[in-house]
Amino acid sequence: MVMDEGGLRDRGRGTPATVDSEPRQILVELGEQNLDAICLSTYRTACKLRFIQKRCNLHLIDIYNVIEAVRDAGLNAVELHAGISVTRLENLVSSLFNQLSKRLPTTHTIDPRESTVLLVEFLLAAVDSEPDSRLTVLSVKAMLATLCGGKLLDKLRYVFSQVSDSSGVLVQSKFDSFLREALKLPSAVHEGPSFGYTHTSARSCFPQQKRVMLNMFLDSVADPPQCLVWLPLMHRMANVEHVYHPVSCSYCRGNAMMGFRYRCLRCRGYQLCQNCFWRGNASGSHSNQHQMKEHSSWKSSASKLGRALSRTLGCVSSREPPHPIYPEQPERTLNLSNLVPARPVGNTSDAMLLSTSVPESSKSLAVAQRMNEEHALIAAYVNRLQSSPCSVDSPRREDEEHKLIARYTSRLAETDGPGVIPNRSINFDVNKQKRELIGQLECKNREILAEIKRLRVEHDAACQATTNPTLLAELRLLRQRKDELEQRMSSLQQSRRELMVQLEGLMKLLKDEEQRQAAQAAGSSHASPSRPSPSSVRSVGAASPPAHMYPPQDSLAGVGGDVQEAFAQGPRRNLRNDLLVAADSITNTVSSLVKELHSDEAREEEERLLNGKDRG
């Protein structure tokens, strides 16, 4: 979207049409947001209405929820220009937020009472923004449809259904009335001078067309009229609130942007975030008169290059229409001529006096006749409601409705009439099947209970068998044997620990002996230079071990073959490694002994258990 920043400046800040003695809470909160600092009137109006929408939690409600609430409140059968009381408006808004609180997850809760109070306050402020205006059904529908969330296309379709005739053609007078009510919203947020209602607003929307159909009305989304340019902008702002742009603003130097991003078409690499652009901030050689392009998403250079190549090669299809193409004529209602008699029913008494006599020969014919009579009663009541819609809430109407329902239910409960099939005969087969199914389930339940009882008896018998004194005595002996084996294993571990200590002491002795021999060899080399080299001494020593090496070997007699070998070898062998090997052999021996003990214990336990089972 390319825009001229200077051309979108506002045409003057608005002031409220009527000043209340006590300002409403939601308008006070709106003033605290400092949104009047936005220079562009379109963005300023959209930001204000977006704040109202989110503060009242209307962004969580779509147009279908509004339609349902209006239908439940009975406003769909009332004239659009009929007045509505504040109490009825509060009930409508309260039902909206109560249903919303039921749909929301537990992690996202709202206060329906607070939202109701804030929204009703704002709607009344919008109505009071113009002199000599009153609260009507059309004003409630127009304001709720404009402020609610959801898709803009669905909202415009609902608006068109309210301002068009039965043939699907826009009625200019109804559309003018809708614009008068919808443009009260900008006036309520003090933007009346820019987007207030004028007598030429409706004609400026469709100046050339005489017959405006649905598709032509929906085309206004792509090119909205000046008085409604803030409406699609508010929806675009809602769609890009959480869009992330990984670039920095050229004015405020922010690391990243959220929402809209604006790029100057004249200054290379100059980009502004939405807050700086809306408030008219500029730096360097950039001017507010330069054209800016609005970006609602971030695209990398590679994706841009690929899209440009696709367009060049013709791989991208033509642009799709902004909205689906709907049929010109509205959908027809269902044809109920085969159910409802063609003759119009005059009043309720005539409907009640319709003949119920049918021939006894055919049961299907009787059922069809009865269905015709029921639909005739319903059609009679609908005709009465449509004939006088203004008196729907009168006590006399409620009494007649209750009488009609009572007489209708009494006719349905009849069983002696010639043309009515008794309910017992109709539901006889169904009840019989249900009784048979209940009997089968009860039989299966009894079988399951008997199986549970048998299993309990077997469990009790097994528990009693474990109290045999012979088995208990054998279990005690096994425990004693287990304790003895554990004591023996602990003694073996203690002896192993003592052996390790002795080995450590031997390693220290050997180390001291090596140091002493090295010192003697060094002293002798200094005393007699003509003595042979240490390597020759080592070789001689390896060939004939000296006598002082044998006493440590004799003192370790019976320790282990690996230890004796370590002391029997010459000094060229690594004695520390030999001692570690000897310690590992001792550990393996102890482990094999423990395994044998455990295998003997397991074998004895198996034998005792087999003997106990044979005795049992």
Side-chain angles (χ1 to χ4, degrees):
M1 177 182 179
V2 180
M3 61 188 69
D4 189 355
E5 189 173 354
L8 285 178
R9 297 290 163 184
D10 56 341
R11 300 190 296 268
R13 303 289 171 83
T15 57
T18 59
V19 180
D20 296 336
S21 59
E22 181 180 355
R24 292 179 169 88
Q25 176 186 352
I26 191 168
L27 297 180
V28 173
E29 295 180 6
L30 177 63
E32 295 174 354
Q33 301 300 315
N34 194 23
L35 297 177
D36 288 329
I38 299 176
C39 301
L40 306 175
S41 60
T42 306
Y43 287 92
R44 186 172 64 246
T45 304
C47 287
K48 289 182 178 180
L49 293 179
R50 177 62 179 168
F51 171 79
I52 297 293
Q53 185 186 53
K54 296 181 68 176
R55 183 65 181 87
C56 297
N57 293 315
L58 272 176
H59 65 292
L60 304 174
I61 298 175
D62 57 12
I63 187 63
Y64 298 104
N65 302 133
V66 174
I67 295 173
E68 183 180 0
V70 169
R71 185 179 66 248
D72 293 341
L75 298 181
N76 56 340
V78 183
E79 291 292 336
L80 293 178
H81 296 286
I84 181 175
S85 62
V86 178
T87 303
R88 198 167 182 181
L89 174 62
E90 290 178 351
N91 294 334
L92 169 63
V93 176
S94 177
S95 65
L96 267 177
F97 290 111
N98 287 332
Q99 293 297 326
L100 174 63
S101 63
K102 295 177 183 179
R103 294 192 303 268
L104 290 177
T106 55
T107 56
H108 190 176
T109 58
I110 64 170
D111 186 1
R113 178 61 182 168
E114 181 186 8
S115 301
T116 301
V117 172
L118 293 176
L119 182 56
V120 171
E121 282 185 356
F122 180 73
L123 294 180
L124 294 178
V127 173
D128 295 340
S129 62
E130 289 189 3
D132 300 333
S133 62
R134 62 192 185 95
L135 186 64
T136 61
V137 176
L138 179 60
S139 61
V140 173
K141 288 183 177 181
M143 293 179 187
L144 290 180
T146 305
L147 285 177
C148 69
K151 296 181 180 180
L152 179 59
L153 188 65
D154 297 335
K155 295 163 70 170
L156 292 179
R157 289 180 61 193
Y158 172 72
V159 171
F160 187 80
S161 67
Q162 299 296 314
V163 298
S164 60
D165 56 11
S166 59
S167 60
V169 180
L170 180 71
V171 180
Q172 289 291 337
S173 59
K174 291 184 179 180
F175 182 63
D176 184 76
S177 301
F178 166 77
L179 280 182
R180 181 187 292 271
E181 301 300 334
L183 294 179
K184 290 179 181 178
L185 297 175
S187 300
V189 293
H190 309 160
E191 297 297 332
S194 299
F195 301 104
Y197 171 78
T198 60
H199 295 287
T200 60
S201 298
R203 290 194 298 270
S204 64
C205 296
F206 307 101
Q208 302 295 334
Q209 294 81 5
K210 294 182 179 180
R211 288 172 54 88
V212 179
M213 310 301 287
L214 176 59
N215 294 317
M216 192 181 303
F217 184 79
L218 296 179
D219 289 339
S220 61
V221 179
D223 187 15
Q226 182 61 31
C227 60
L228 292 176
V229 70
W230 50 267
L231 181 58
L233 177 60
M234 185 175 67
H235 282 264
R236 289 193 290 114
M237 288 174 58
N239 294 332
V240 302
E241 270 187 349
H242 304 289
V243 174
Y244 175 78
H245 302 272
V247 293
S248 59
C249 178
S250 300
Y251 182 84
C252 65
R253 304 300 178 184
N255 293 330
M257 302 182 190
M258 295 293 292
F260 288 117
R261 174 172 57 91
Y262 297 91
R263 180 173 59 87
C264 183
L265 299 180
R266 294 179 59 182
C267 304
R268 182 176 179 83
Y270 193 87
Q271 302 185 82
L272 291 176
C273 62
Q274 61 181 14
N275 292 329
C276 295
F277 176 75
W278 293 348
R279 286 163 175 79
N281 298 330
S283 60
S285 60
H286 177 71
S287 173
N288 291 333
Q289 303 300 324
H290 292 178
Q291 283 189 344
M292 305 287 288
K293 185 174 182 180
E294 183 179 84
H295 296 273
S296 58
S297 62
W298 169 258
K299 296 179 182 178
S300 61
S301 303
S303 61
K304 290 180 181 178
L305 178 60
R307 190 170 183 85
L309 291 175
S310 301
R311 287 179 178 177
T312 304
L313 298 175
C315 299
V316 177
S317 60
S318 59
R319 208 170 197 182
E320 296 181 357
H323 60 82
I325 304 301
Y326 297 97
E328 296 295 338
Q329 297 295 330
E331 296 181 359
R332 295 182 179 180
T333 57
L334 295 176
N335 185 13
L336 301 178
S337 60
N338 59 333
L339 299 177
V340 183
R343 181 179 61 85
V345 181
N347 51 27
T348 309
S349 59
D350 294 340
M352 291 301 173
L353 294 177
L354 288 174
S355 175
T356 60
S357 60
V358 293
E360 296 283 340
S361 58
S362 176
K363 183 184 294 185
S364 60
L365 183 60
V367 173
Q369 182 69 20
R370 189 181 178 201
M371 291 176 62
N372 290 339
E373 294 170 3
E374 294 173 0
H375 286 286
L377 291 173
I378 296 172
Y381 185 64
V382 171
N383 290 334
R384 293 201 60 192
L385 288 178
Q386 292 178 352
S387 61
S388 57
C390 296
S391 59
V392 173
D393 297 332
S394 61
R396 182 172 174 272
R397 170 69 66 183
E398 293 180 357
D399 295 339
E400 292 180 358
E401 182 181 352
H402 293 164
K403 291 178 182 179
L404 175 63
I405 295 172
R407 295 183 64 179
Y408 181 59
T409 53
S410 66
R411 290 186 67 255
L412 292 178
E414 288 177 359
T415 57
D416 297 333
V420 180
I421 302 175
N423 292 333
R424 295 180 180 177
S425 62
I426 294 174
N427 299 329
F428 179 75
D429 296 336
V430 179
N431 294 335
K432 184 178 179 180
Q433 294 176 359
K434 290 181 179 179
R435 285 195 296 270
E436 291 178 355
L437 181 60
I438 292 173
Q440 294 176 3
L441 293 176
E442 289 179 350
C443 182
K444 290 182 180 180
N445 189 23
R446 286 192 294 269
E447 293 178 359
I448 293 172
L449 292 176
E451 184 69 17
I452 292 173
K453 185 177 181 181
R454 184 182 64 80
L455 292 175
R456 285 179 178 174
V457 171
E458 292 180 356
H459 179 70
D460 295 340
C463 292
Q464 291 177 0
T466 55
T467 59
N468 192 348
T470 306
L471 293 177
L472 292 176
E474 291 181 357
L475 288 174
R476 281 194 294 269
L477 292 175
L478 288 174
R479 291 195 184 95
Q480 291 178 1
R481 179 62 178 169
K482 180 183 177 183
D483 296 337
E484 292 175 358
L485 291 175
E486 288 178 351
Q487 291 177 1
R488 186 174 179 182
M489 188 172 70
S490 62
S491 63
L492 289 174
Q493 290 178 352
Q494 182 66 26
S495 62
R496 176 178 174 275
R497 202 175 295 113
E498 292 175 357
L499 288 173
M500 294 298 294
V501 173
Q502 292 178 3
L503 288 173
E504 185 69 22
L506 290 174
M507 290 174 66
K508 290 181 179 180
L509 290 174
L510 290 173
K511 188 176 181 180
D512 295 340
E513 183 67 20
E514 288 178 356
Q515 292 177 356
R516 187 175 61 81
Q517 289 181 2
Q520 289 178 359
S524 61
S525 62
H526 287 292
S528 58
S530 62
R531 291 187 65 179
S533 63
S535 60
S536 62
V537 174
R538 288 195 187 94
S539 62
V540 174
S544 61
H548 63 268
M549 294 293 291
Y550 291 99
Q553 180 180 358
D554 296 336
S555 63
L556 293 174
V559 173
D562 294 334
V563 177
Q564 291 179 359
E565 284 182 3
F567 283 94
Q569 298 296 332
R572 293 176 61 86
R573 187 172 177 179
N574 193 348
L575 297 179
R576 179 175 297 179
N577 293 337
D578 294 338
L579 289 174
L580 292 175
V581 170
D584 291 338
S585 65
I586 295 172
T587 304
N588 294 332
T589 305
V590 175
S591 300
S592 61
L593 178 60
V594 172
K595 289 181 181 179
E596 291 178 359
L597 292 176
H598 279 295
S599 62
D600 294 340
E601 179 183 357
R603 195 178 299 108
E604 291 177 0
E605 288 181 357
E606 291 179 357
E607 291 177 357
R608 282 190 173 82
L609 289 175
L610 291 174
N611 294 332
K613 288 182 179 179
D614 295 337
R615 292 173 186 174

